[in-house]
Amino acid sequence: MSTGDRTSRHQPVIIITGTPGTGKSTHAQLLVEEAPIPLTHINVGELVKDHGLHEGFDEEWQSYTVDEDKLLDELEPLASAGGIILDWHTCEIFPERWADLVVVLRCDHTQLWDRLEKRGYPLKKIQENNQAEIMDVVLEEARSSYPEEIVVTLSSESMEDLERNVAAVVEWIKAWLKDRERQDGGET
Ligand SMILES: Nc1ncnc2c1ncn2[C@@H]1O[C@H](COP(=O)(O)OP(=O)(O)O)[C@@H](O)[C@H]1O
């Protein structure tokens, strides 16, 4: 069994992904509050910035050029231990063995446009993200990177959506923990 293998963890790794502005951080924060076990919310964009896991700042796109090797080295021990939420607008860089659940958040593109405008993104960045949402870019990435049974798509357009989504993930965690307990019982 390799380090960080899905079956060696006693706490799950949940990836929350989606186009910027779809609500990843909002979901992750509420999930931390409502989960039945302590979860650490890792905002990967902030981690990259705060820990210097990048090759510099791209002025044109107003974003950091991520050093993927450094990022993966930083995250590996956390993913091996589990009990984390990885919150990022892309997910294909995370090894398949890390993921127990991949949540892809979706939002109507006109609503997304407003959210990104409020955030002060330059027009070019708003347009690019809007197109990405329309073209299912993040969803396709998740589908091609992970087994289909662990990828779920959830709409994030209202507070009701937020609450329902988080409640569903809380139930998923409870079921995952029970299943893991059963497997551990069976092993001894
Ligand atoms: N389900 C939702 N319903 C209404 N507003 C939301 C929802 N999810 C997120 N938002 C709002 O959209 C904005 C972007 O959310 P955020 O969680 O920062 O997105 P992300 O982490 O995907 O970039 C925030 O102002 C947040 O309050």
Side-chain angles (χ1 to χ4, degrees):
M1 185 192 299
S2 66
T3 321
D5 190 286
R6 238 180 239 127
T7 55
S8 68
R9 285 193 289 272
H10 289 88
Q11 305 214 316
V13 173
I14 299 168
I15 296 174
I16 301 186
T17 190
T19 309
T22 47
K24 298 179 294 295
S25 296
T26 309
H27 276 73
Q29 280 156 14
L30 189 60
L31 186 56
V32 165
E33 283 173 30
E34 305 211 336
I37 46 170
L39 288 177
T40 304
H41 170 200
I42 301 174
N43 182 320
V44 177
E46 282 176 12
L47 186 81
V48 164
K49 188 172 60 171
D50 296 346
H51 290 222
L53 312 174
H54 57 78
E55 292 157 356
F57 190 72
D58 184 326
E59 287 296 337
E60 187 185 354
W61 290 102
Q62 292 291 299
S63 64
Y64 286 93
T65 306
V66 176
D67 183 328
E68 295 191 357
D69 290 338
K70 274 193 194 163
L71 174 61
L72 290 174
D73 284 351
E74 180 97 10
L75 289 175
E76 177 74 53
L78 303 172
S80 296
I84 59 169
I85 306 167
L86 290 171
D87 156 4
W88 210 22
H89 61 269
T90 178
C91 62
E92 64 191 351
I93 130 167
F94 305 134
E96 187 192 323
R97 68 191 154 78
W98 284 10
D100 294 296
L101 179 69
V102 181
V103 176
V104 182
L105 295 179
R106 303 306 306 271
C107 180
D108 169 73
H109 65 94
T110 54
Q111 195 181 140
L112 188 68
W113 186 288
D114 292 343
R115 289 185 192 173
L116 295 180
E117 209 166 40
K118 276 204 194 104
R119 196 178 263 185
Y121 272 14
L123 181 61
K124 187 172 159 170
K125 202 165 161 175
I126 298 178
Q127 285 168 333
E128 196 217 26
N129 284 309
N130 213 248
Q131 279 297 319
E133 184 62 14
I134 292 168
M135 301 305 284
D136 295 342
V137 170
V138 181
L139 179 59
E140 290 305 323
E141 195 184 281
R143 284 188 175 144
S144 61
S145 307
Y146 303 99
E148 118 187 90
E149 64 273 18
I150 70 164
V151 177
V152 296
T153 310
L154 297 173
S155 174
S156 170
E157 295 175 2
S158 64
M159 294 317 280
E160 291 75 36
D161 285 346
L162 169 67
E163 280 160 21
R164 193 178 47 240
N165 296 342
V166 169
V169 178
V170 166
E171 287 310 308
W172 177 90
I173 294 171
K174 288 180 188 164
W176 189 95
L177 292 169
K178 251 197 185 140
D179 198 42
R180 189 45 45 105
E181 240 174 59
R182 253 198 311 269
Q183 283 176 29
D184 288 351
E187 269 173 25
T188 53

